[in-house]
Amino acid sequence: MRTTIRLDDALLRDAKSYAAAAGMTLTALIEESLRARMARTGSEPRKRVRLLTSGAEGMHAGIDLDNASTLADARQTIR
């Protein structure tokens, strides 16, 4: 299956170099890494996180919490 992911430029360069040195494709490295991460965290109980909030403004208009791109854009404009 094909998908698109957004990676930091430096991380992508390092991952490509690592994969080449290990004699594997970038796809194989990503698959292996995801499988290892999911296997490691799958058996651990998740801790409940309580988020502290402050301020009375609430949510800013136009921010979609399910869209990483709008969150990244909003983060730059809110500062």
Side-chain angles (χ1 to χ4, degrees):
M1 174 182 288
R2 288 182 163 254
T3 191
T4 301
I5 58 173
R6 295 171 65 168
L7 297 174
D8 176 77
D9 291 339
L11 175 61
L12 180 58
R13 278 193 306 274
D14 291 347
K16 285 181 177 181
S17 295
Y18 184 93
M24 60 194 320
T25 65
L26 179 62
T27 298
L29 174 63
I30 292 171
E31 288 176 347
E32 180 182 293
S33 300
L34 284 172
R35 285 187 182 101
R37 173 66 181 198
M38 289 187 299
R40 187 173 71 235
T41 59
S43 60
E44 298 174 9
R46 299 179 88 186
K47 293 182 182 178
R48 186 169 178 93
V49 176
R50 183 170 178 90
L51 301 176
L52 302 176
T53 60
S54 63
E57 293 182 33
M59 286 295 297
H60 293 270
I63 297 178
D64 179 1
L65 296 179
D66 294 322
N67 185 324
S69 295
T70 61
L71 288 173
D73 294 341
R75 181 176 172 215
Q76 292 176 0
T77 60
I78 293 172
R79 287 184 177 185

